[in-house]
Amino acid sequence: MRGQTEAEDVFRAAAGSGTLVRRTGREVNAWHRELRATVAQLFDALAAGDEASLTKLVGDPQIRRRLPSTLRPDSACDAADSVTNPQSVSVAARAEQTPWALTFERGGARWRLVAAGPVLP
């Protein structure tokens, strides 16, 4: 399926022992795994009050100040600007009962939070 994120591993039996050994692997659209790791780091840093980690993940100090420590992931699909190699992705979150939109952009190999705010006023 176009845009699907997945990883494939190919195993075979080792000669002599018959033990399964990983022969090859490939990732399709690995950006999603990398983004999700960054998103998890953000939520962990918020919950722990880890300012050093937040600074690495959120360059803009005004955005960092607006982020509530109660911000948690919400169960909605990510909205990427491209199916196969996005540069910007919106991620759903929730603080208390308020839905938030978090926009992450890729800079090189890293994702950073560049915009965040409640969805409803």
Side-chain angles (χ1 to χ4, degrees), residues 13-24:
S17 69
T19 306
L20 288 180
V21 179
R22 182 175 178 266
R23 191 174 135 228
T24 62

Side-chain angles (χ1 to χ4, degrees), residues 23-75:
R23 191 174 135 228
T24 62
R26 81 178 178 118
E27 293 184 0
V28 179
N29 292 329
W31 67 265
H32 196 258
R33 186 195 73 238
E34 295 157 2
L35 170 68
R36 280 283 138 200
T38 300
V39 171
Q41 290 170 10
L42 175 72
F43 291 129
D44 290 347
L46 284 169
D50 182 350
E51 290 297 323
S53 293
L54 283 174
T55 300
K56 291 177 186 174
L57 299 166
V58 186
D60 186 329
Q62 291 180 344
I63 295 173
R64 282 196 307 272
R65 281 192 292 273
R66 285 195 310 258
L67 296 172
S69 62
T70 58
L71 199 62
R72 300 290 180 263
D74 203 356
S75 58

